[in-house]
Amino acid sequence: MTYDDLLHKIGDFGKYQKRIYFFLCLPAISCALHKLAGVFILAKTDHRCQLPGELDNASYTLPINIMNMSYPFDYKLDHFSSCKMYDTNFTDAYYSSNIPANHTINCHRWVYDKETFQNTAVMEFNLVCDRAWYKGTADSMLMVGVMLGSIIFGYLSDRIGRKNIFTISVWLQGIAGCGMAFTQEYWSFTFLRVLVGASTSGLYLAAYVIGLEFVSPKYRMVVGVVIQMFFSVGFLLTSAFAYAFHSNWRYFQLAITIPTLFYTTYHWFIPESVRWLLANGKQEKAVKILQKVCSVNGVDISDKDIIEVLECDFEKKPIVQADAQPKASFFDLFKHPVILKRSIIIMLLWFVNSTAYYGLSWSTSNLGGNQFLVFNLAGIVEFPAYTFLLLTLNKWGRKINISGFLILAGLALLTTLAIPKTNTWLVIFFAMVAKLAITASYGAVYVYTAEQFPTVVRNMGLGVGSFFARIGGIVAPYINNTADIWINMPLVIYGGLALLVGAWSLVLPETLNRKLPDTIEDLVAMSEKKYKPVLTNEPATNGEANKDKDKY
């Protein structure tokens, strides 16, 4: 009997696991709130140059004749320039002449349209015109923090425990998140966003792994998908908080951060991962936790039987496996043409999925329509995406889900080019179709990656894929900034990438119910035999359970 067999005996997903799993899903909501808050904290509103003599609280709206005489018309963007004004003395005589000046100058002060948002970080720090790229940098640095958090907290969770990392991340998110609400200048604001991004990685990673390691393989795919749905709940709550606190971004930031401190109570009732305790020689604590699981689940099993299973599975078995498996390095991912092709395509899959997912989530304001409503639609479509994935991933296979959804997303986004600008809601419809498809594809890429690589380099393959996902998240804000050049540019870039990589990924083999290779030599041999299927009783890999945890 192994530890997984023991879980089956004491309850695959019993009352105890369901209870702690629900509480461990809640941090995914906080992760979503902080990752998506930039859409509203850094909301870009219409603006114009502040004219000489105008007060800071001047109205954004001016009569058309004043606009004509004050600002040059930008025919590329089809509106009056928001970054330049005429270089002249704005006197009554000048306005009555109806002859605009010949020269323009860059402006350094702006008047903002406060109809939707009365105060944002963009307004306070003037992140417009030649400083517009600072807005993208603030979002990119959040994702840099996510990357650093994945690396640092991922390493530390194996060293000091998942529960300790969870607690550290809670306090980091609480302190950095509240600190953001009181920053008075841009660079402090951006630095704290790095820390908040890092905290989301630690918080989600620890909660996810603890919950995952308490359920049997039979339920791991479901558990992995349901926690992502809680992230989608956070997606919807983000706009709710933004609507309630649209008068000041600082109140909004405090509102999404303070509830995080509730997770400090987890220290008293959420257990440490049993697998981690056993791997670090803390068998006595592990047995106590398993006794509690048995008690709550109503299962009668003796301490002696528990100890015998744990000693067998965590002391004897790993030694044999470690001796049997050859050492592999990062460079093995690129040595043979077969694995090189897979590595390149997998890296691109992670990059494109992450870029398009976050890019579309952060750019809802560029689509037109009511900003809060469109953002909510982008969150709502995630629920059918994950539901569809649950129903089809083990029936239709991995490749048809990932490649098919990427191609669908690409076609939907490129279709927006043929839609007239006046038909805003048709553009939004196709953008939402693309968001649904990207969400589904991203939800399946983790398990597909795990099954593409042989055992000796599987973790390395997942790590490289996750790294490229973080690169995608860092790049996405700058792609969104290209909307200042051409409003459709971000959709074209995301659509083109999704279509290209989705079609290219069709060359990868299907892995559903297929024997997974242990060595690179096995992979080459199996590739030459075109992956002959074998029957399995469970999903082919525990990667099902870890599906896309790095997205968050």
Side-chain angles (χ1 to χ4, degrees), residues 32-342:
L33 287 169
H34 286 284
K35 283 194 170 183
L36 299 167
V39 173
F40 302 104
I41 288 176
L42 293 162
K44 180 182 176 182
T45 64
D46 291 335
H47 54 280
R48 60 176 178 83
C49 297
Q50 185 175 344
L51 298 174
E54 274 194 308
L55 300 176
D56 289 340
N57 62 349
S59 172
Y60 168 78
T61 305
L62 291 175
I64 187 64
N65 63 309
I66 301 295
M67 294 290 290
N68 258 326
M69 296 295 290
S70 303
Y71 310 106
F73 193 83
D74 190 330
Y75 290 95
K76 185 183 294 184
L77 297 177
D78 197 29
H79 59 68
F80 286 101
S81 175
S82 56
C83 299
K84 294 180 180 293
M85 63 182 181
Y86 288 122
D87 184 14
T88 185
N89 292 321
F90 294 96
T91 62
D92 291 340
Y94 170 73
Y95 285 119
S96 61
S97 71
N98 287 326
I99 301 175
N102 294 324
H103 302 288
T104 61
I105 57 173
N106 294 326
C107 51
H108 304 287
R109 297 175 68 86
W110 292 265
V111 176
Y112 295 94
D113 183 359
K114 298 185 178 182
E115 182 179 355
T116 304
F117 298 100
Q118 295 178 25
N119 175 265
T120 69
V122 168
M123 295 178 188
E124 282 200 19
F125 305 139
N126 288 321
L127 308 182
V128 294
C129 298
D130 59 342
R131 286 171 56 87
W133 67 275
Y134 281 73
K135 175 181 180 296
T137 298
D139 278 328
S140 289
M141 294 308 291
L142 176 79
M143 298 307 291
V144 168
V146 173
M147 176 189 289
L148 294 175
S150 296
I151 297 170
I152 296 171
F153 288 128
Y155 170 77
L156 289 177
S157 73
D158 288 334
R159 301 280 295 181
I160 65 175
R162 287 79 159 103
K163 191 173 177 178
N164 287 330
I165 289 300
F166 182 89
T167 303
I168 291 170
S169 299
V170 167
W171 283 106
L172 177 62
Q173 188 169 109
I175 294 171
C178 289
M180 276 180 58
F182 296 97
T183 52
Q184 298 301 314
E185 50 87 30
Y186 171 79
W187 290 111
S188 298
F189 169 84
T190 302
F191 172 72
L192 289 172
R193 275 178 70 78
V194 174
L195 299 183
V196 168
S199 73
T200 63
S201 287
L203 197 64
Y204 185 86
L205 177 67
Y208 184 96
V209 173
I210 291 173
L212 180 73
E213 293 182 343
F214 271 101
V215 300
S216 69
K218 178 181 177 182
Y219 285 92
R220 285 179 184 164
M221 187 183 73
V222 176
V223 164
V225 173
V226 170
I227 195 170
Q228 295 176 59
M229 291 183 175
F230 276 79
F231 187 91
S232 301
V233 171
F235 206 121
L236 300 179
L237 288 177
T238 303
S239 63
F241 276 106
Y243 185 79
F245 299 97
H246 67 278
S247 62
N248 194 310
W249 71 269
R250 297 179 186 276
Y251 298 151
F252 169 65
Q253 178 62 32
L254 285 173
I256 65 173
T257 301
I258 290 175
T260 301
L261 299 178
F262 161 76
Y263 302 132
T264 57
T265 61
Y266 282 25
H267 175 77
W268 289 278
F269 68 92
I270 295 296
E272 177 59 271
S273 163
V274 171
R275 288 185 183 273
W276 183 84
L277 290 172
L278 293 169
N280 287 271
K282 303 179 185 292
Q283 188 185 86
E284 185 177 339
K285 291 183 178 179
V287 171
K288 286 183 178 180
I289 293 172
L290 290 173
Q291 287 173 336
K292 188 172 183 179
V293 176
C294 293
S295 175
V296 175
N297 289 351
V299 176
D300 185 19
I301 182 172
S302 68
D303 294 352
K304 181 180 178 182
D305 289 340
I306 292 176
I307 293 171
E308 286 181 356
V309 172
L310 298 182
E311 287 180 346
C312 175
D313 200 32
F314 285 88
E315 292 180 16
K316 299 176 183 178
K317 188 178 177 182
I319 296 173
V320 175
Q321 289 181 334
D323 291 340
Q325 290 183 0
K327 297 290 184 181
S329 70
F330 166 79
F331 298 102
D332 287 323
L333 291 173
F334 310 98
K335 279 186 176 179
H336 192 280
V338 173
I339 197 169
L340 172 63
K341 178 180 70 175
R342 294 191 183 193

Side-chain angles (χ1 to χ4, degrees), residues 319-508:
I319 296 173
V320 175
Q321 289 181 334
D323 291 340
Q325 290 183 0
K327 297 290 184 181
S329 70
F330 166 79
F331 298 102
D332 287 323
L333 291 173
F334 310 98
K335 279 186 176 179
H336 192 280
V338 173
I339 197 169
L340 172 63
K341 178 180 70 175
R342 294 191 183 193
S343 297
I344 292 173
I345 297 176
I346 289 297
M347 288 187 292
L348 289 173
L349 280 174
W350 281 85
F351 175 82
V352 171
N353 273 289
S354 178
T355 304
Y357 178 86
Y358 284 112
L360 291 174
S361 298
W362 289 334
S363 65
T364 50
S365 60
N366 293 334
L367 298 176
N370 182 285
Q371 185 168 346
F372 296 102
L373 177 58
V374 175
F375 185 85
N376 275 335
L377 289 175
I380 290 171
V381 298
E382 294 195 358
F383 292 97
Y386 291 132
T387 302
F388 188 84
L389 205 58
L390 278 173
L391 297 175
T392 64
L393 195 60
N394 283 336
K395 291 183 179 180
W396 293 3
R398 288 72 158 110
K399 183 163 74 171
I400 191 172
N401 274 291
I402 293 179
S403 300
F405 276 119
L406 275 178
I407 292 171
L408 174 60
L411 292 175
L413 290 173
L414 295 178
T415 299
T416 60
L417 291 175
I419 301 172
K421 293 182 180 179
T422 54
N423 203 335
T424 301
W425 283 102
L426 193 57
V427 172
I428 293 173
F429 170 78
F430 280 102
M432 293 304 106
V433 170
K435 178 60 165 41
L436 184 152
I438 284 293
T439 301
S441 173
Y442 205 174
V445 73
Y446 194 101
V447 58
Y448 196 45
T449 300
E451 294 174 348
Q452 288 293 333
F453 291 107
T455 304
V456 293
V457 291
R458 185 163 294 134
N459 283 339
M460 291 182 191
L462 289 168
V464 169
S466 176
F467 177 80
F468 273 82
R470 303 286 78 80
I471 297 296
I474 293 169
V475 170
Y478 294 111
I479 295 177
N480 286 343
N481 277 1
T482 62
D484 292 337
I485 302 172
W486 179 35
I487 192 66
N488 290 327
M489 182 72 79
L491 299 184
V492 171
I493 294 174
Y494 298 137
L497 287 173
L499 187 61
L500 178 64
V501 175
W504 193 10
S505 65
L506 288 170
V507 304
L508 292 176

